[in-house]
Every structure is written in C-alpha cells, then in structure tokens.
C-alpha cells in the first residue's frame, strides 16, 4: 500500500499500534509465568485489559474501513527478549518481580506514546469513533502505568528495607 496521504500514514501507524498490542499480550503472558505472588494477579489483570485495548484498536480500524495485519512488533519483541535475557541470568524471584514491573512500565509507556500520536491525528481527521477508542485506551493505559509504578515503588521499598542503613 503506497503511503501518500496523512490518512494512509494513520492507517499504517494504526497497524503498527495493533502489532504492538498483539505482541504485548505475549509479554504479559511471559511475565505472568515468571513472577510470584500478588504480582502474578496484577499482571493477569493487565493482560485482560490489554485484550480490550486491542479490541478498541480493531474497532478503530473497522470504523475507518480497514483491517489490521497481524504481525509481531520488533520493538515490543525487543522488550520481551530483554526480559527473557534477564531471566536467563538466574536472578532471585524478588529481582524477577522488580524487573518485570520495570518491563511492564517500559511497554506501557511505549504504547502510550503511540496512542497519543494516533489520538491527535484521529481528532484532526475528524474520526470520532477512532477518537473514542484511542482515548479510552490512552486513559486506561495512563491509569495502568500509574498503578504499576506505585506497585513498583512499594516493591522497591520492601526489597530495600532489609538492606537500608541507618543514617
């Protein structure tokens, strides 16, 4: 497909975002099998949310009369491989949990950035259904990353407390 107009570029970028979300589900699954305790429940919950994010992207594509291709995102695959490489170093379960939280945060910020751009374009193009779908995802992702960041902070505090030195 030649990309000659902003609409063509929007469709292309929407396809990339769809690839990112599809690949992201693989990250959630991989993390859920590696983390422990309540973090596993958090990851599974976010995995369910990611299915809705993907559905919203598909709805946006349908609203503008196109469909998304199903491919893996090289960028998201890099995040996945970074975590897999870390796991191969045989870290403690606490360190896996901390690195998993960091990995989730990286993935979420990557997709938030992509959503922001496409949301803005959808507004400018007057694609109201896409605006609604992308805005819903953007708000949920921002809330999710804030929740994961709080969880990561609390986890860090718990992990550092035993090694903290008095002043």
């Amino acid at each position: 497909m030649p990309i000659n107009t902003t609409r063509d570029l929007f469709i292309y970028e929407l396809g990339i975002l769809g690839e990112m979300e599809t690949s992201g589900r693989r990250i959630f699954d991989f993390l859920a099998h590696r983390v422990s305790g309540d973090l596993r429940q958090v990851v599974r919950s976010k995995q369910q949310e990611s299915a809705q994010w993907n559905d919203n992207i598909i709805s946006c594509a349908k609203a503008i009369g196109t469909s998304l291709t199903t491919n893996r995102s090289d960028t998201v695959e890099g995040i996945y491989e970074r975590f897999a490489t870390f796991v191969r170093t045989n870290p403690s379960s606490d360190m896996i949990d901390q690195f998993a939280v960091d990995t989730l945060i990286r993935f979420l910020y990557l997709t938030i950035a992509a959503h922001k751009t496409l949301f803005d374009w959808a507004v400018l193009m007057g694609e109201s259904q896409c605006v609604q779908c992308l805005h819903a995802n953007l708000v949920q992702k921002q809330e999710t990353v804030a929740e994961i960041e709080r969880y990561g902070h609390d986890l860090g505090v718990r992990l550092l407390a035993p090694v903290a030195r008095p002043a």
Side-chain angles (χ1 to χ4, degrees), residues 129-157:
Q129 190 166 351
C130 281
V131 167
Q132 291 172 359
C133 293
L134 295 170
H135 184 261
N137 281 5
L138 186 56
V139 168
Q140 288 175 345
K141 283 179 169 286
Q142 289 170 329
E143 290 170 356
T144 295
V145 78
E147 180 183 338
I148 299 297
E149 286 174 331
R150 283 189 301 275
Y151 185 94
H153 174 78
D154 293 345
L155 178 61
V157 167

PDB file of all heavy atoms in Angstrom, residues 129-157:
ATOM      1  N   GLN A 129     -15.144   7.934  15.971  1.00  0.00           N
ATOM      2  CA  GLN A 129     -15.136   6.614  16.600  1.00  0.00           C
ATOM      3  C   GLN A 129     -13.710   6.215  16.987  1.00  0.00           C
ATOM      4  O   GLN A 129     -13.485   5.643  18.050  1.00  0.00           O
ATOM      5  CB  GLN A 129     -15.759   5.545  15.706  1.00  0.00           C
ATOM      6  CG  GLN A 129     -15.958   4.243  16.460  1.00  0.00           C
ATOM      7  CD  GLN A 129     -16.861   3.272  15.744  1.00  0.00           C
ATOM      8  OE1 GLN A 129     -17.499   3.590  14.755  1.00  0.00           O
ATOM      9  NE2 GLN A 129     -16.919   2.059  16.252  1.00  0.00           N
ATOM     10  N   CYS A 130     -12.741   6.534  16.139  1.00  0.00           N
ATOM     11  CA  CYS A 130     -11.338   6.267  16.484  1.00  0.00           C
ATOM     12  C   CYS A 130     -10.917   7.108  17.685  1.00  0.00           C
ATOM     13  O   CYS A 130     -10.195   6.620  18.561  1.00  0.00           O
ATOM     14  CB  CYS A 130     -10.422   6.556  15.304  1.00  0.00           C
ATOM     15  SG  CYS A 130     -10.397   5.255  14.070  1.00  0.00           S
ATOM     16  N   VAL A 131     -11.369   8.358  17.715  1.00  0.00           N
ATOM     17  CA  VAL A 131     -11.051   9.226  18.849  1.00  0.00           C
ATOM     18  C   VAL A 131     -11.527   8.565  20.137  1.00  0.00           C
ATOM     19  O   VAL A 131     -10.782   8.479  21.115  1.00  0.00           O
ATOM     20  CB  VAL A 131     -11.686  10.635  18.682  1.00  0.00           C
ATOM     21  CG1 VAL A 131     -11.625  11.421  19.979  1.00  0.00           C
ATOM     22  CG2 VAL A 131     -11.005  11.395  17.552  1.00  0.00           C
ATOM     23  N   GLN A 132     -12.760   8.061  20.136  1.00  0.00           N
ATOM     24  CA  GLN A 132     -13.307   7.423  21.343  1.00  0.00           C
ATOM     25  C   GLN A 132     -12.501   6.183  21.736  1.00  0.00           C
ATOM     26  O   GLN A 132     -12.164   6.004  22.913  1.00  0.00           O
ATOM     27  CB  GLN A 132     -14.765   7.045  21.117  1.00  0.00           C
ATOM     28  CG  GLN A 132     -15.690   8.226  21.004  1.00  0.00           C
ATOM     29  CD  GLN A 132     -17.096   7.832  20.583  1.00  0.00           C
ATOM     30  OE1 GLN A 132     -17.379   6.668  20.361  1.00  0.00           O
ATOM     31  NE2 GLN A 132     -17.973   8.821  20.476  1.00  0.00           N
ATOM     32  N   CYS A 133     -12.198   5.335  20.753  1.00  0.00           N
ATOM     33  CA  CYS A 133     -11.460   4.094  21.035  1.00  0.00           C
ATOM     34  C   CYS A 133     -10.055   4.389  21.538  1.00  0.00           C
ATOM     35  O   CYS A 133      -9.600   3.796  22.535  1.00  0.00           O
ATOM     36  CB  CYS A 133     -11.381   3.229  19.783  1.00  0.00           C
ATOM     37  SG  CYS A 133     -12.977   2.577  19.235  1.00  0.00           S
ATOM     38  N   LEU A 134      -9.364   5.282  20.868  1.00  0.00           N
ATOM     39  CA  LEU A 134      -7.984   5.594  21.244  1.00  0.00           C
ATOM     40  C   LEU A 134      -7.928   6.344  22.578  1.00  0.00           C
ATOM     41  O   LEU A 134      -7.036   6.112  23.393  1.00  0.00           O
ATOM     42  CB  LEU A 134      -7.293   6.374  20.138  1.00  0.00           C
ATOM     43  CG  LEU A 134      -7.097   5.607  18.828  1.00  0.00           C
ATOM     44  CD1 LEU A 134      -6.621   6.540  17.722  1.00  0.00           C
ATOM     45  CD2 LEU A 134      -6.148   4.438  19.011  1.00  0.00           C
ATOM     46  N   HIS A 135      -8.904   7.220  22.806  1.00  0.00           N
ATOM     47  CA  HIS A 135      -8.944   7.947  24.071  1.00  0.00           C
ATOM     48  C   HIS A 135      -9.194   6.989  25.236  1.00  0.00           C
ATOM     49  O   HIS A 135      -8.540   7.095  26.290  1.00  0.00           O
ATOM     50  CB  HIS A 135     -10.012   9.042  24.041  1.00  0.00           C
ATOM     51  CG  HIS A 135     -10.028   9.874  25.273  1.00  0.00           C
ATOM     52  ND1 HIS A 135     -10.915   9.672  26.305  1.00  0.00           N
ATOM     53  CD2 HIS A 135      -9.228  10.912  25.662  1.00  0.00           C
ATOM     54  CE1 HIS A 135     -10.670  10.535  27.270  1.00  0.00           C
ATOM     55  NE2 HIS A 135      -9.660  11.295  26.905  1.00  0.00           N
ATOM     56  N   ALA A 136     -10.109   6.059  25.053  1.00  0.00           N
ATOM     57  CA  ALA A 136     -10.385   5.067  26.105  1.00  0.00           C
ATOM     58  C   ALA A 136      -9.110   4.292  26.439  1.00  0.00           C
ATOM     59  O   ALA A 136      -8.768   4.107  27.621  1.00  0.00           O
ATOM     60  CB  ALA A 136     -11.498   4.118  25.673  1.00  0.00           C
ATOM     61  N   ASN A 137      -8.403   3.851  25.404  1.00  0.00           N
ATOM     62  CA  ASN A 137      -7.144   3.127  25.632  1.00  0.00           C
ATOM     63  C   ASN A 137      -6.120   4.004  26.337  1.00  0.00           C
ATOM     64  O   ASN A 137      -5.448   3.564  27.275  1.00  0.00           O
ATOM     65  CB  ASN A 137      -6.550   2.641  24.310  1.00  0.00           C
ATOM     66  CG  ASN A 137      -7.211   1.391  23.790  1.00  0.00           C
ATOM     67  OD1 ASN A 137      -8.184   0.897  24.348  1.00  0.00           O
ATOM     68  ND2 ASN A 137      -6.690   0.882  22.702  1.00  0.00           N
ATOM     69  N   LEU A 138      -5.989   5.226  25.867  1.00  0.00           N
ATOM     70  CA  LEU A 138      -4.981   6.131  26.416  1.00  0.00           C
ATOM     71  C   LEU A 138      -5.224   6.379  27.907  1.00  0.00           C
ATOM     72  O   LEU A 138      -4.299   6.278  28.722  1.00  0.00           O
ATOM     73  CB  LEU A 138      -4.981   7.450  25.634  1.00  0.00           C
ATOM     74  CG  LEU A 138      -3.916   8.468  25.964  1.00  0.00           C
ATOM     75  CD1 LEU A 138      -2.521   7.884  25.838  1.00  0.00           C
ATOM     76  CD2 LEU A 138      -4.061   9.682  25.049  1.00  0.00           C
ATOM     77  N   VAL A 139      -6.457   6.654  28.275  1.00  0.00           N
ATOM     78  CA  VAL A 139      -6.784   6.904  29.678  1.00  0.00           C
ATOM     79  C   VAL A 139      -6.514   5.654  30.515  1.00  0.00           C
ATOM     80  O   VAL A 139      -5.884   5.728  31.583  1.00  0.00           O
ATOM     81  CB  VAL A 139      -8.246   7.375  29.827  1.00  0.00           C
ATOM     82  CG1 VAL A 139      -8.692   7.360  31.281  1.00  0.00           C
ATOM     83  CG2 VAL A 139      -8.426   8.756  29.217  1.00  0.00           C
ATOM     84  N   GLN A 140      -6.963   4.495  30.028  1.00  0.00           N
ATOM     85  CA  GLN A 140      -6.745   3.248  30.772  1.00  0.00           C
ATOM     86  C   GLN A 140      -5.252   2.938  30.914  1.00  0.00           C
ATOM     87  O   GLN A 140      -4.803   2.503  31.981  1.00  0.00           O
ATOM     88  CB  GLN A 140      -7.459   2.085  30.094  1.00  0.00           C
ATOM     89  CG  GLN A 140      -8.954   2.128  30.244  1.00  0.00           C
ATOM     90  CD  GLN A 140      -9.636   1.013  29.461  1.00  0.00           C
ATOM     91  OE1 GLN A 140      -9.040   0.376  28.597  1.00  0.00           O
ATOM     92  NE2 GLN A 140     -10.897   0.783  29.769  1.00  0.00           N
ATOM     93  N   LYS A 141      -4.507   3.148  29.855  1.00  0.00           N
ATOM     94  CA  LYS A 141      -3.070   2.864  29.906  1.00  0.00           C
ATOM     95  C   LYS A 141      -2.357   3.806  30.880  1.00  0.00           C
ATOM     96  O   LYS A 141      -1.466   3.384  31.614  1.00  0.00           O
ATOM     97  CB  LYS A 141      -2.447   2.961  28.517  1.00  0.00           C
ATOM     98  CG  LYS A 141      -2.735   1.751  27.671  1.00  0.00           C
ATOM     99  CD  LYS A 141      -2.127   1.904  26.300  1.00  0.00           C
ATOM    100  CE  LYS A 141      -2.181   0.614  25.567  1.00  0.00           C
ATOM    101  NZ  LYS A 141      -1.212  -0.374  26.046  1.00  0.00           N
ATOM    102  N   GLN A 142      -2.745   5.069  30.889  1.00  0.00           N
ATOM    103  CA  GLN A 142      -2.136   6.016  31.821  1.00  0.00           C
ATOM    104  C   GLN A 142      -2.463   5.634  33.265  1.00  0.00           C
ATOM    105  O   GLN A 142      -1.603   5.717  34.142  1.00  0.00           O
ATOM    106  CB  GLN A 142      -2.589   7.440  31.505  1.00  0.00           C
ATOM    107  CG  GLN A 142      -1.976   7.956  30.224  1.00  0.00           C
ATOM    108  CD  GLN A 142      -2.579   9.263  29.742  1.00  0.00           C
ATOM    109  OE1 GLN A 142      -3.758   9.545  29.965  1.00  0.00           O
ATOM    110  NE2 GLN A 142      -1.767  10.064  29.061  1.00  0.00           N
ATOM    111  N   GLU A 143      -3.696   5.201  33.512  1.00  0.00           N
ATOM    112  CA  GLU A 143      -4.066   4.744  34.850  1.00  0.00           C
ATOM    113  C   GLU A 143      -3.295   3.472  35.203  1.00  0.00           C
ATOM    114  O   GLU A 143      -2.827   3.316  36.337  1.00  0.00           O
ATOM    115  CB  GLU A 143      -5.572   4.491  34.926  1.00  0.00           C
ATOM    116  CG  GLU A 143      -6.402   5.756  34.870  1.00  0.00           C
ATOM    117  CD  GLU A 143      -7.891   5.508  34.698  1.00  0.00           C
ATOM    118  OE1 GLU A 143      -8.311   4.329  34.543  1.00  0.00           O
ATOM    119  OE2 GLU A 143      -8.649   6.498  34.721  1.00  0.00           O
ATOM    120  N   THR A 144      -3.165   2.579  34.244  1.00  0.00           N
ATOM    121  CA  THR A 144      -2.461   1.323  34.481  1.00  0.00           C
ATOM    122  C   THR A 144      -0.989   1.557  34.783  1.00  0.00           C
ATOM    123  O   THR A 144      -0.441   0.971  35.714  1.00  0.00           O
ATOM    124  CB  THR A 144      -2.626   0.380  33.266  1.00  0.00           C
ATOM    125  OG1 THR A 144      -4.006   0.031  33.153  1.00  0.00           O
ATOM    126  CG2 THR A 144      -1.804  -0.884  33.410  1.00  0.00           C
ATOM    127  N   VAL A 145      -0.335   2.418  34.014  1.00  0.00           N
ATOM    128  CA  VAL A 145       1.094   2.656  34.258  1.00  0.00           C
ATOM    129  C   VAL A 145       1.282   3.325  35.616  1.00  0.00           C
ATOM    130  O   VAL A 145       2.239   3.008  36.331  1.00  0.00           O
ATOM    131  CB  VAL A 145       1.773   3.428  33.100  1.00  0.00           C
ATOM    132  CG1 VAL A 145       1.482   4.910  33.142  1.00  0.00           C
ATOM    133  CG2 VAL A 145       3.278   3.193  33.108  1.00  0.00           C
ATOM    134  N   ALA A 146       0.369   4.197  36.013  1.00  0.00           N
ATOM    135  CA  ALA A 146       0.468   4.819  37.338  1.00  0.00           C
ATOM    136  C   ALA A 146       0.328   3.753  38.428  1.00  0.00           C
ATOM    137  O   ALA A 146       1.072   3.765  39.419  1.00  0.00           O
ATOM    138  CB  ALA A 146      -0.590   5.907  37.507  1.00  0.00           C
ATOM    139  N   GLU A 147      -0.594   2.832  38.238  1.00  0.00           N
ATOM    140  CA  GLU A 147      -0.785   1.743  39.202  1.00  0.00           C
ATOM    141  C   GLU A 147       0.456   0.858  39.283  1.00  0.00           C
ATOM    142  O   GLU A 147       0.913   0.499  40.374  1.00  0.00           O
ATOM    143  CB  GLU A 147      -2.002   0.908  38.785  1.00  0.00           C
ATOM    144  CG  GLU A 147      -2.306  -0.247  39.688  1.00  0.00           C
ATOM    145  CD  GLU A 147      -3.473  -1.087  39.180  1.00  0.00           C
ATOM    146  OE1 GLU A 147      -4.302  -0.597  38.397  1.00  0.00           O
ATOM    147  OE2 GLU A 147      -3.540  -2.273  39.567  1.00  0.00           O
ATOM    148  N   ILE A 148       1.016   0.516  38.119  1.00  0.00           N
ATOM    149  CA  ILE A 148       2.210  -0.338  38.092  1.00  0.00           C
ATOM    150  C   ILE A 148       3.401   0.397  38.701  1.00  0.00           C
ATOM    151  O   ILE A 148       4.216  -0.200  39.415  1.00  0.00           O
ATOM    152  CB  ILE A 148       2.520  -0.812  36.655  1.00  0.00           C
ATOM    153  CG1 ILE A 148       1.361  -1.645  36.087  1.00  0.00           C
ATOM    154  CG2 ILE A 148       3.824  -1.601  36.601  1.00  0.00           C
ATOM    155  CD1 ILE A 148       1.072  -2.930  36.825  1.00  0.00           C
ATOM    156  N   GLU A 149       3.511   1.686  38.449  1.00  0.00           N
ATOM    157  CA  GLU A 149       4.600   2.463  39.051  1.00  0.00           C
ATOM    158  C   GLU A 149       4.474   2.483  40.576  1.00  0.00           C
ATOM    159  O   GLU A 149       5.481   2.342  41.279  1.00  0.00           O
ATOM    160  CB  GLU A 149       4.620   3.892  38.496  1.00  0.00           C
ATOM    161  CG  GLU A 149       5.154   3.961  37.085  1.00  0.00           C
ATOM    162  CD  GLU A 149       5.049   5.335  36.463  1.00  0.00           C
ATOM    163  OE1 GLU A 149       4.115   6.105  36.835  1.00  0.00           O
ATOM    164  OE2 GLU A 149       5.884   5.650  35.603  1.00  0.00           O
ATOM    165  N   ARG A 150       3.257   2.641  41.099  1.00  0.00           N
ATOM    166  CA  ARG A 150       3.060   2.602  42.555  1.00  0.00           C
ATOM    167  C   ARG A 150       3.433   1.223  43.097  1.00  0.00           C
ATOM    168  O   ARG A 150       4.099   1.118  44.130  1.00  0.00           O
ATOM    169  CB  ARG A 150       1.608   2.939  42.917  1.00  0.00           C
ATOM    170  CG  ARG A 150       1.280   4.415  42.849  1.00  0.00           C
ATOM    171  CD  ARG A 150      -0.084   4.734  43.408  1.00  0.00           C
ATOM    172  NE  ARG A 150      -1.175   4.056  42.731  1.00  0.00           N
ATOM    173  CZ  ARG A 150      -1.788   4.478  41.633  1.00  0.00           C
ATOM    174  NH1 ARG A 150      -1.412   5.617  41.074  1.00  0.00           N
ATOM    175  NH2 ARG A 150      -2.779   3.799  41.104  1.00  0.00           N
ATOM    176  N   TYR A 151       3.007   0.181  42.385  1.00  0.00           N
ATOM    177  CA  TYR A 151       3.337  -1.176  42.807  1.00  0.00           C
ATOM    178  C   TYR A 151       4.860  -1.351  42.823  1.00  0.00           C
ATOM    179  O   TYR A 151       5.414  -1.913  43.767  1.00  0.00           O
ATOM    180  CB  TYR A 151       2.690  -2.204  41.876  1.00  0.00           C
ATOM    181  CG  TYR A 151       2.907  -3.617  42.345  1.00  0.00           C
ATOM    182  CD1 TYR A 151       1.959  -4.257  43.132  1.00  0.00           C
ATOM    183  CD2 TYR A 151       4.074  -4.318  42.022  1.00  0.00           C
ATOM    184  CE1 TYR A 151       2.166  -5.554  43.588  1.00  0.00           C
ATOM    185  CE2 TYR A 151       4.291  -5.606  42.471  1.00  0.00           C
ATOM    186  CZ  TYR A 151       3.330  -6.216  43.250  1.00  0.00           C
ATOM    187  OH  TYR A 151       3.550  -7.487  43.708  1.00  0.00           O
ATOM    188  N   GLY A 152       5.517  -0.885  41.775  1.00  0.00           N
ATOM    189  CA  GLY A 152       6.974  -0.997  41.684  1.00  0.00           C
ATOM    190  C   GLY A 152       7.669  -0.239  42.804  1.00  0.00           C
ATOM    191  O   GLY A 152       8.672  -0.708  43.361  1.00  0.00           O
ATOM    192  N   HIS A 153       7.142   0.930  43.145  1.00  0.00           N
ATOM    193  CA  HIS A 153       7.726   1.698  44.247  1.00  0.00           C
ATOM    194  C   HIS A 153       7.585   0.922  45.551  1.00  0.00           C
ATOM    195  O   HIS A 153       8.560   0.788  46.308  1.00  0.00           O
ATOM    196  CB  HIS A 153       7.053   3.061  44.363  1.00  0.00           C
ATOM    197  CG  HIS A 153       7.500   3.838  45.553  1.00  0.00           C
ATOM    198  ND1 HIS A 153       8.701   4.516  45.588  1.00  0.00           N
ATOM    199  CD2 HIS A 153       6.925   4.022  46.764  1.00  0.00           C
ATOM    200  CE1 HIS A 153       8.845   5.085  46.765  1.00  0.00           C
ATOM    201  NE2 HIS A 153       7.780   4.801  47.499  1.00  0.00           N
ATOM    202  N   ASP A 154       6.390   0.411  45.804  1.00  0.00           N
ATOM    203  CA  ASP A 154       6.156  -0.357  47.034  1.00  0.00           C
ATOM    204  C   ASP A 154       7.042  -1.602  47.078  1.00  0.00           C
ATOM    205  O   ASP A 154       7.588  -1.942  48.133  1.00  0.00           O
ATOM    206  CB  ASP A 154       4.688  -0.746  47.165  1.00  0.00           C
ATOM    207  CG  ASP A 154       3.771   0.455  47.385  1.00  0.00           C
ATOM    208  OD1 ASP A 154       4.279   1.543  47.726  1.00  0.00           O
ATOM    209  OD2 ASP A 154       2.545   0.288  47.196  1.00  0.00           O
ATOM    210  N   LEU A 155       7.170  -2.259  45.945  1.00  0.00           N
ATOM    211  CA  LEU A 155       8.031  -3.442  45.876  1.00  0.00           C
ATOM    212  C   LEU A 155       9.478  -3.040  46.172  1.00  0.00           C
ATOM    213  O   LEU A 155      10.174  -3.710  46.940  1.00  0.00           O
ATOM    214  CB  LEU A 155       7.924  -4.101  44.499  1.00  0.00           C
ATOM    215  CG  LEU A 155       8.796  -5.331  44.266  1.00  0.00           C
ATOM    216  CD1 LEU A 155       8.441  -6.449  45.247  1.00  0.00           C
ATOM    217  CD2 LEU A 155       8.622  -5.812  42.811  1.00  0.00           C
ATOM    218  N   GLY A 156       9.928  -1.961  45.582  1.00  0.00           N
ATOM    219  CA  GLY A 156      11.288  -1.484  45.820  1.00  0.00           C
ATOM    220  C   GLY A 156      11.527  -1.162  47.284  1.00  0.00           C
ATOM    221  O   GLY A 156      12.580  -1.489  47.840  1.00  0.00           O
ATOM    222  N   VAL A 157      10.545  -0.539  47.922  1.00  0.00           N
ATOM    223  CA  VAL A 157      10.660  -0.221  49.343  1.00  0.00           C
ATOM    224  C   VAL A 157      10.797  -1.510  50.153  1.00  0.00           C
ATOM    225  O   VAL A 157      11.650  -1.608  51.041  1.00  0.00           O
ATOM    226  CB  VAL A 157       9.451   0.613  49.822  1.00  0.00           C
ATOM    227  CG1 VAL A 157       9.385   0.688  51.350  1.00  0.00           C
ATOM    228  CG2 VAL A 157       9.501   2.015  49.221  1.00  0.00           C
TER     229      VAL A 157
END
